[in-house]
Amino acid sequence: LEESLLSLLDERDALKAKIETIQSQRESEIDQILTEVKEFEGTKHDLQAALDQQKLETLQAEEKIRSSELQLNNLEEELKKAMDCLELAQSDLASEQTKSKQLKESVDKLKKEIQCLNDSLEEEKKKAAYTVEDYQNLNNRMVETTGALERKISKLQIDLDATMNDN
């Protein structure tokens, strides 16, 4: 009986040691996961900062587009006025030939400015579209990473609970 009792006590001590080892390993794994989570949170913060910067750049690009569109509208109005003046000047071509030449040069200059603004506007629109696409890709990566970490933590918790229940 005493020998059985000693054997059972030894077995109990061995099981306690095994449980402590398993708990220590699980705690170490949980600590490692928590460290990784903190790193991912830091990465998330960095990505959010980059995203915020991209949003700011997008807003600035949109403001520049609006400004360019306003300038374009003003230039189109000026062009229309210049064309009206040109038509009037052509009716009295003999006496207004010099004035007509200046107006044509003004119209050409306005057309070039409009073309430059149109080119700038198209370029800004492309930049804005690229920034939105980057934001969407960044957000998708962040969601995937967070989900993977949550699943890993849940699995480790289930494993720990099962180990504790088995012992």
Side-chain angles (χ1 to χ4, degrees):
L1 181 65
E2 186 177 313
E3 192 176 297
S4 293
L5 183 59
L6 287 174
S7 174
L8 287 173
L9 287 174
D10 288 343
E11 190 177 323
R12 181 196 68 184
D13 291 342
L15 286 173
K16 278 184 180 180
K18 185 176 181 181
I19 288 172
E20 288 174 2
T21 302
I22 290 171
Q23 284 177 334
S24 176
Q25 288 173 347
R26 292 295 182 210
E27 288 173 3
S28 175
E29 288 175 358
I30 289 172
D31 288 343
Q32 182 181 359
I33 288 171
L34 290 174
T35 301
E36 289 175 3
V37 167
K38 286 179 184 177
E39 290 174 5
F40 282 120
E41 285 174 349
T43 301
K44 178 183 173 186
H45 180 269
D46 293 344
L47 292 174
Q48 185 64 44
L51 180 61
D52 291 343
Q53 179 63 31
Q54 286 181 344
K55 283 181 181 179
L56 177 63
E57 290 172 3
T58 299
L59 291 174
Q60 290 172 342
E62 288 172 354
E63 180 60 33
K64 194 170 184 180
I65 288 170
R66 282 191 290 276
S67 175
S68 295
E69 286 173 343
L70 182 61
Q71 285 179 331
L72 179 62
N73 289 339
N74 290 339
L75 288 173
E76 285 174 346
E77 287 178 22
E78 287 181 32
L79 178 60
K80 186 181 181 311
K81 289 176 185 176
M83 292 300 288
D84 290 343
C85 288
L86 180 60
E87 288 174 11
L88 289 173
Q90 285 176 343
S91 68
D92 194 11
L93 185 59
S95 62
E96 298 290 330
Q97 196 170 24
T98 303
K99 187 177 180 181
S100 177
K101 182 179 178 182
Q102 291 173 347
L103 287 173
K104 285 180 183 179
E105 291 172 358
S106 176
V107 167
D108 290 341
K109 182 179 177 183
L110 289 173
K111 285 181 180 178
K112 287 179 184 177
E113 287 180 19
I114 288 172
Q115 184 60 44
C116 287
L117 287 173
N118 279 335
D119 293 345
S120 295
L121 180 62
E122 288 300 318
E123 185 176 318
E124 291 300 325
K125 284 181 181 178
K126 288 177 185 176
K127 285 180 185 177
Y130 178 75
T131 302
V132 169
E133 183 178 317
D134 281 351
Y135 167 76
Q136 290 170 344
N137 289 338
L138 183 63
N139 189 39
N140 289 342
R141 284 195 342 238
M142 193 168 61
V143 167
E144 290 172 6
T145 301
T146 303
L149 285 173
E150 289 172 353
R151 288 189 297 276
K152 189 172 183 179
I153 289 171
S154 293
K155 184 182 183 307
L156 286 173
Q157 187 63 45
I158 290 168
D159 289 346
L160 179 60
D161 290 344
T163 301
M164 293 301 290
N165 288 337
D166 289 342
N167 295 320

